[in-house]
Amino acid sequence: MTMDVEAEIRKRRVGELEGSFGFLTEQVQGVHKDLLRFEEKADRKLQDHDARFDRLDRDLKGFRTDMPKIVGDTMREVLREQRGKP
């Protein structure tokens, strides 16, 4: 009789462990799926931001190229106006 009780206790413990393991496995799978979705969204947002920064960089380079002409034209206009005054 002692052997049957010990065997039953072992069976129950193993069953409890298997149940807990199954529950944890489902939880980890859910978290993994959520993490993959998050990673995909983050990658898309990063690509969008990269495109924005590339556009901003092009605009700034154009501004650097145009800036000397803008300043020069403005200075010439101001000097002309000052000369025209008595």
Side-chain angles (χ1 to χ4, degrees):
M1 174 134 180
T2 311
M3 296 293 269
D4 293 336
V5 172
E6 288 176 9
E8 186 62 31
I9 290 172
R10 257 190 237 111
K11 269 194 234 175
R12 287 185 186 188
R13 284 184 180 166
V14 169
E16 289 173 2
L17 287 173
E18 286 175 342
S20 297
F21 183 77
F23 172 77
L24 289 174
T25 300
E26 287 178 24
Q27 295 297 310
V28 169
Q29 286 173 342
V31 169
H32 184 250
K33 288 177 184 177
D34 291 343
L35 183 59
L36 290 175
R37 279 193 295 270
F38 173 78
E39 184 180 25
E40 186 178 315
K41 278 184 177 180
D43 284 345
R44 272 190 265 132
K45 286 199 179 264
L46 185 60
Q47 289 171 357
D48 291 345
H49 288 316
D50 285 347
R52 289 179 187 169
F53 283 124
D54 288 345
R55 189 172 56 245
L56 179 61
D57 190 44
R58 282 192 308 271
D59 291 346
L60 284 175
K61 285 179 183 174
F63 185 66
R64 280 188 214 124
T65 303
D66 296 341
M67 188 59 142
K69 183 178 182 327
I70 293 169
V71 171
D73 291 347
T74 304
M75 289 303 298
R76 280 189 286 282
E77 185 178 332
V78 168
L79 290 172
R80 263 188 244 120
E81 287 176 4
Q82 286 179 349
R83 285 187 206 133
K85 291 183 180 177

